[in-house]
Amino acid sequence: MKITKFPRSINNDHQKDIVLSQADLAKPVKTSETPNKELDRRKFMQTSFLALATTPVMALADESVKNDFPAWSTTLGKGLNEYGQPSKFEAGTKRGIAKAYGDLAPGTGSARTPIEKLEGIITPSGLHFDRSHNGTPEIDPSKHQLSIYGLVDKPLNFSVENLLRYPMISRTYFVECAGNSAANIIAPQPIQATAGTLHGLISCSDWTGIPLSVLLKEAGVNPAGKWIVAEGADAAGMSRSFPMEKAMDNAMIALYQNGERVRPEQGYPMRLLLPGWEGNMNVKWLRSLKVTAGPTHTKDETSKYTDPLPNGKARQFTFELGVKSIITKPSGMMKLPSKGLYEISGIAWSGAGKVARVELSTNGGKDWFDAELDGPSQAFCLVRFRAPWTWNGEPAFLQSRAIDEHGNVQPTRAAYKANNAVDGRYHNNTIVTWAVLADGSVQNAYL
Amino acid sequence: MKITKFPRSINNDHQKDIVLSQADLAKPVKTSETPNKELDRRKFMQTSFLALATTPVMALADESVKNDFPAWSTTLGKGLNEYGQPSKFEAGTKRGIAKAYGDLAPGTGSARTPIEKLEGIITPSGLHFDRSHNGTPEIDPSKHQLSIYGLVDKPLNFSVENLLRYPMISRTYFVECAGNSAANIIAPQPIQATAGTLHGLISCSDWTGIPLSVLLKEAGVNPAGKWIVAEGADAAGMSRSFPMEKAMDNAMIALYQNGERVRPEQGYPMRLLLPGWEGNMNVKWLRSLKVTAGPTHTKDETSKYTDPLPNGKARQFTFELGVKSIITKPSGMMKLPSKGLYEISGIAWSGAGKVARVELSTNGGKDWFDAELDGPSQAFCLVRFRAPWTWNGEPAFLQSRAIDEHGNVQPTRAAYKANNAVDGRYHNNTIVTWAVLADGSVQNAYL
């Protein structure tokens, strides 16, 4: 292939027009006449800006912008730093903490992602939800190893240093706790709280790690090896069984999260990722993988995370999470300041693969219209949905309903209640309703 | 459409097989017989794990994994926290600081992204590079506004609060400083330093904000308005001109970065984003946009960021950054511990759109082969490239060469030298060479 030197100077009208001597720099410069391109989402944006032209604005003379300089425009700024933090004015954007046993076990419980304050699909690593059964162990990576044993030809120990030499893949995957949104099932009356407090056990990161299949092929799985039990190095010894098919399909040993090494609360120095499957199966602080003939029926998959059914039996191993969506703006505890145009925005995902579309209703499910999916919909990944909405000042019931590539549709709360025992609470992927009252306040509601 | 209740319980063999009473839980459970799927990158992974089977491993009995429990496996972990930080064992993953005037102006200079320690394509916000001319202003968003004026029908001031109500879009875009990699042009002998120190003025984030076209249409651009000058609220008053075509094409007022509000070092409460164009044009702490007939020729686009040419003239307005790639693993100051298989990994990008492919050479450009692009290649976004490489213990010269969707090819250092004056240094997108010596040490080299 021919090497083009400085190809970017070709077809760059601005640049070609203005190769000047320094003395010429005062002269006006011709600009390109190439026609404007239109925005991809032109229609949406036109709808929006026309309506928003009614928001209060202040007439401004050319000069006035120069008059008033705040202190930060006239003084030295802060020095360069090695690892940045958010603005102090955003201190309210933090994880909401729910301790299961108070200060008896300060690490047992959950820290929830404030989804109502976030945008896009990436969760900042410092705000990724954390559900821990014994707090966060502080693991020295030089003293940690991953063991693969059981029904294999060659049991193996891997140091972290050796694992970092392996070929890697990067994928953007969500992780959701099986107990996310449980309050909306077990509370007889809707709890008034933020979207993050009610539904914040969902986060999404750009994970990089080693396909588990690579390590299993190296150990050599015996024909009798049909399942694997993964165990964490935390003192709770979180242990979960999963089928060999998943291990060989898309399971990952994650070493990096959003570019840097996995955070302590997410399993440093490594965690298991089973894309689309319930959160606790993505075992953090991973220390061992034992290949077995069948499931191990650990405490974490029998006494917990099973779904009691109306017939007195329990559904065990609800691995794949349901298709789900949540409107984050507007959402619980917010207040709309005035009538007019707003953007409805939220997140959708499916444990079965890609989200195909998200439907919205502003009248509690009587009528539905399609939201716009912002950016590509990736398998086992959050997708951001958006739609313009003009609030006329009357009460409204905002709902979102996600449909995935397999035709799975987000169910109603009533359907969950009909299909589970009265004390059921896990795997709640039902439609969320936000009621907008006449005064603009937004409340959690059951419909 | 028909609502499927609990669709995920359909076609879930595990789940259907094991609806059990609690008393049944001890029984072994049949597993699904669905055939394994293959990994997308099967061939690559097979190459890798077969070779890596030679890395030292320790034989392990089923029992032995249970014997030795470190303290973190037997004690309470750390408590839940509101905003997480990296492991203390990763304290070495930090921005490298280069102050231009020492402590006279501690905020003037650059903080560089340690690209050799990162994976995937997202740069953690705390490690995004920072090039500042007067440090980081601490801006109170309630006292900040964005003014749009000049050749418009209706000059407008926007409060941050009002902007947060506007329709938004999310896009993953890189930002690169025009001075990135300058040391490899101006230093007569290659400087021995890490990839981040030499080339770390490149970062990539999931940005969310308002298309600039929406705000300009609201203000009403006069027919004579062909350019815009953007000004920052920092005391350096960074100001850059750009054509109206770019503003109407894909310019964004970014309010969110990787999910949370834009970090102070990246322009809190808002910055301009001109996808693919040189870093300083993406004006941070944005306070005003003046619509003009032509470019303003500010200090930041005349005395700086112009490219002196061999003919004594200067190229002004090199807006679009060139197609570029850098191998981050292995890279400068690393040492390969032994012969054997390694993954060559790095990042590629183009100011013109999408990267089409990345070629690799291990013999200094005599022979080239294609690297694998990991994940979708998005316009104005980093893409991660990977390839397995078996080091035979002899000296090698590792190079990467990116080609974008328009056929632009990353040039050589010699080509840059031939096309620029002796004191040229900006916009260096030339091929980087890492020399691997016989002892495994990796050095920066010119070829």
Side-chain angles (χ1 to χ4, degrees):
Chain A
M1 175 186 323
K2 176 173 156 297
I3 302 284
T4 312
K5 291 176 183 172
F6 294 92
R8 66 190 183 281
S9 67
I10 297 165
N11 304 323
N12 183 329
D13 295 340
H14 317 301
Q15 194 175 78
K16 282 194 299 183
D17 288 345
I18 53 186
V19 174
L20 305 170
S21 70
Q22 294 299 325
D24 294 333
L25 285 179
K27 294 183 184 174
V29 173
K30 283 184 301 168
T31 64
S32 161
E33 297 305 331
T34 52
N36 294 1
K37 296 183 195 133
E38 292 300 332
L39 277 177
D40 298 338
R41 301 166 72 209
R42 176 183 182 186
K43 188 178 174 190
F44 171 30
M45 293 307 176
Q46 285 187 335
T47 308
S48 307
F49 79 76
L50 290 173
L52 274 166
T54 63
T55 56
V57 292
M58 183 183 84
L60 173 75
D62 274 17
E63 291 66 34
S64 68
V65 72
K66 301 296 176 197
N67 292 344
D68 171 32
F69 287 103
W72 55 73
S73 295
T74 59
T75 56
L76 280 179
K78 285 188 168 181
L80 299 158
N81 69 79
E82 293 178 328
Y83 198 96
Q85 299 296 335
S87 165
K88 70 177 185 182
F89 296 101
E90 299 299 323
T93 300
K94 58 190 180 186
R95 294 190 281 219
I97 293 181
K99 295 179 186 174
Y101 307 106
D103 291 336
L104 276 176
T108 302
S110 63
R112 292 155 186 258
T113 299
I115 54 176
E116 74 280 3
K117 293 183 174 176
L118 303 184
E119 261 291 355
I121 63 168
I122 295 293
T123 307
S125 297
L127 295 174
H128 191 292
F129 88 83
D130 172 18
R131 170 73 176 103
S132 290
H133 296 255
N134 188 61
T136 300
E138 191 171 65
I139 298 180
D140 179 345
S142 70
K143 298 185 174 63
H144 181 82
Q145 64 182 21
L146 172 64
S147 303
I148 297 182
Y149 68 113
L151 298 174
V152 296
D153 302 336
K154 183 170 56 169
L156 299 174
N157 282 348
F158 298 88
S159 68
V160 176
E161 184 182 11
N162 273 352
L163 286 175
L164 288 171
R165 274 186 62 180
Y166 272 70
M168 303 210 185
I169 58 173
S170 298
R171 299 287 185 269
T172 308
Y173 289 141
F174 75 81
V175 177
E176 184 187 18
C177 178
N180 195 25
S181 310
N184 261 17
I185 290 298
I186 58 181
Q189 297 301 322
I191 294 170
Q192 296 311 319
T194 64
T197 301
L198 294 167
H199 309 288
L201 297 175
I202 172 76
S203 304
C204 188
S205 303
D206 178 27
W207 302 98
T208 295
I210 305 162
L212 178 52
S213 61
V214 170
L215 303 183
L216 288 172
K217 288 173 183 171
E218 190 167 340
V221 175
N222 298 355
K226 298 296 189 187
W227 284 65
I228 296 175
V229 58
E231 182 182 19
D234 59 322
M238 169 62 70
S239 302
R240 286 300 309 263
S241 305
F242 61 101
M244 188 62 67
E245 294 93 326
K246 184 68 173 178
M248 291 300 188
D249 177 9
N250 57 12
M252 177 198 290
I253 306 299
L255 293 155
Y256 295 84
Q257 172 187 13
N258 294 336
E260 63 193 344
R261 295 296 310 283
V262 167
R263 289 291 182 90
E265 296 89 346
Q266 274 71 57
Y268 183 86
M270 70 187 78
R271 84 179 297 169
L272 178 64
L273 275 183
L274 301 178
W277 287 17
E278 61 181 353
N280 68 89
M281 300 183 76
N282 300 275
V283 174
K284 302 189 287 190
W285 316 296
L286 184 67
R287 70 185 298 266
S288 72
L289 295 163
K290 181 177 182 179
V291 177
T292 58
T296 300
H297 301 299
T298 70
K299 68 184 191 307
D300 302 306
E301 56 200 18
T302 50
S303 69
K304 289 190 179 68
Y305 303 115
T306 59
D307 297 303
L309 303 175
N311 63 4
K313 298 194 171 196
R315 179 189 295 114
Q316 191 188 25
F317 298 149
T318 303
F319 295 151
E320 185 180 293
L321 291 163
V323 60
K324 187 168 178 178
S325 66
I326 295 167
I327 295 170
T328 53
K329 288 190 237 177
S331 61
M333 312 305 282
M334 293 182 181
K335 186 160 186 177
L336 308 187
S338 61
K339 288 192 286 188
L341 191 108
Y342 293 86
E343 178 173 77
I344 295 176
S345 169
I347 50 176
W349 63 97
S350 170
K354 298 179 183 179
V355 170
R357 55 196 191 90
V358 176
E359 300 174 321
L360 295 177
S361 177
T362 59
N363 58 14
K366 294 185 190 67
D367 305 291
W368 296 92
F369 59 95
D370 279 359
E372 180 142 13
L373 301 187
D374 189 2
S377 181
Q378 306 174 78
F380 317 116
C381 177
L382 295 189
V383 63
R384 172 70 48 176
F385 63 85
R386 305 180 185 278
W389 173 55
T390 302
W391 181 47
N392 60 11
E394 294 170 8
F397 295 92
L398 306 183
Q399 297 182 319
S400 63
R401 183 170 67 181
I403 300 95
D404 71 23
E405 62 183 331
H406 306 292
N408 300 323
V409 180
Q410 188 173 1
T412 63
R413 184 173 184 273
Y416 185 101
K417 284 295 195 181
N419 288 278
N420 288 268
V422 289
D423 58 341
R425 65 191 59 191
Y426 293 118
H427 309 108
N428 173 22
N429 67 317
T430 62
I431 292 169
V432 172
T433 304
W434 300 117
V436 180
L437 308 189
D439 69 355
S441 61
V442 184
Q443 297 194 354
N444 185 29
Y446 295 162
L447 282 190
Chain B
M1 176 184 324
K2 175 170 158 295
I3 302 285
T4 312
K5 291 176 182 170
F6 293 90
R8 67 189 182 282
S9 68
I10 299 168
N11 305 321
N12 183 329
D13 296 339
H14 317 301
Q15 195 174 79
K16 281 192 298 183
D17 286 346
I18 53 185
V19 173
L20 306 171
S21 70
Q22 294 299 324
D24 295 332
L25 286 180
K27 295 182 185 173
V29 173
K30 284 183 302 170
T31 64
S32 161
E33 297 305 330
T34 53
N36 295 1
K37 296 179 195 138
E38 292 301 331
L39 274 179
D40 299 338
R41 303 166 70 211
R42 179 183 180 185
K43 188 179 174 190
F44 172 29
M45 293 306 177
Q46 283 188 337
T47 308
S48 307
F49 81 76
L50 290 174
L52 276 165
T54 63
T55 56
V57 293
M58 184 184 83
L60 172 76
D62 275 16
E63 289 67 35
S64 68
V65 72
K66 302 292 174 202
N67 291 346
D68 171 31
F69 287 103
W72 54 73
S73 294
T74 58
T75 56
L76 280 178
K78 285 188 168 179
L80 299 157
N81 69 79
E82 294 179 326
Y83 199 97
Q85 299 296 335
S87 164
K88 71 179 185 182
F89 296 101
E90 298 300 324
T93 300
K94 58 189 180 183
R95 294 190 280 218
I97 294 182
K99 295 179 186 175
Y101 307 107
D103 291 335
L104 275 177
T108 302
S110 63
R112 291 154 187 259
T113 300
I115 54 176
E116 73 280 4
K117 294 184 173 174
L118 303 184
E119 260 291 354
I121 63 169
I122 295 292
T123 307
S125 298
L127 294 174
H128 191 292
F129 86 84
D130 172 19
R131 170 72 176 102
S132 289
H133 295 255
N134 188 60
T136 299
E138 191 172 66
I139 297 180
D140 179 346
S142 70
K143 298 185 173 64
H144 181 82
Q145 66 180 23
L146 172 64
S147 304
I148 297 182
Y149 67 112
L151 298 174
V152 297
D153 301 336
K154 184 170 55 170
L156 299 174
N157 282 346
F158 298 88
S159 69
V160 175
E161 184 182 12
N162 273 353
L163 287 175
L164 289 172
R165 276 185 61 179
Y166 272 71
M168 304 210 184
I169 59 173
S170 298
R171 298 286 185 271
T172 308
Y173 289 141
F174 74 81
V175 178
E176 184 188 18
C177 179
N180 196 23
S181 311
N184 261 16
I185 290 298
I186 58 181
Q189 296 302 320
I191 294 170
Q192 295 312 319
T194 64
T197 301
L198 293 168
H199 308 288
L201 297 176
I202 173 76
S203 304
C204 188
S205 304
D206 178 27
W207 302 98
T208 295
I210 306 163
L212 177 53
S213 61
V214 170
L215 304 183
L216 289 172
K217 288 173 183 170
E218 190 168 339
V221 175
N222 298 353
K226 299 294 189 187
W227 283 65
I228 295 176
V229 59
E231 182 182 16
D234 59 320
M238 169 62 68
S239 302
R240 285 301 308 262
S241 305
F242 61 100
M244 186 62 65
E245 295 93 325
K246 184 67 173 179
M248 291 301 187
D249 177 8
N250 57 11
M252 177 196 292
I253 306 299
L255 292 153
Y256 295 84
Q257 172 186 12
N258 294 336
E260 62 193 345
R261 296 295 311 282
V262 167
R263 289 292 182 90
E265 297 89 345
Q266 274 72 57
Y268 182 86
M270 72 187 77
R271 83 179 296 168
L272 177 65
L273 275 183
L274 301 178
W277 288 16
E278 62 181 350
N280 69 89
M281 300 183 76
N282 300 274
V283 175
K284 301 190 285 189
W285 316 295
L286 184 68
R287 68 186 299 266
S288 72
L289 294 164
K290 181 177 182 178
V291 177
T292 58
T296 300
H297 301 297
T298 70
K299 69 186 188 309
D300 302 306
E301 56 199 16
T302 51
S303 69
K304 289 190 180 68
Y305 303 114
T306 60
D307 298 302
L309 303 175
N311 63 3
K313 297 194 171 196
R315 178 189 296 112
Q316 191 187 24
F317 298 150
T318 303
F319 295 150
E320 185 179 293
L321 292 163
V323 61
K324 187 168 177 179
S325 65
I326 295 167
I327 295 170
T328 53
K329 289 188 232 178
S331 60
M333 313 304 284
M334 292 183 182
K335 186 160 186 176
L336 307 186
S338 61
K339 288 191 288 188
L341 192 107
Y342 292 85
E343 180 174 75
I344 294 176
S345 170
I347 49 176
W349 63 96
S350 171
K354 298 179 182 178
V355 171
R357 57 198 191 87
V358 176
E359 300 174 320
L360 296 178
S361 176
T362 60
N363 57 13
K366 294 186 190 65
D367 305 291
W368 296 92
F369 59 95
D370 279 359
E372 180 142 12
L373 301 186
D374 189 3
S377 180
Q378 306 174 77
F380 317 116
C381 177
L382 295 189
V383 62
R384 172 71 49 176
F385 63 85
R386 304 179 186 279
W389 173 55
T390 304
W391 181 47
N392 60 8
E394 294 170 9
F397 294 92
L398 307 183
Q399 297 182 319
S400 64
R401 182 171 66 181
I403 300 97
D404 71 21
E405 62 183 330
H406 305 292
N408 300 323
V409 179
Q410 188 172 3
T412 62
R413 184 174 185 274
Y416 185 101
K417 284 295 195 180
N419 287 278
N420 287 267
V422 290
D423 57 341
R425 64 192 60 191
Y426 292 120
H427 309 109
N428 172 22
N429 66 318
T430 63
I431 293 169
V432 172
T433 304
W434 300 118
V436 180
L437 308 189
D439 68 353
S441 60
V442 184
Q443 296 194 355
N444 185 28
Y446 295 162
L447 284 189

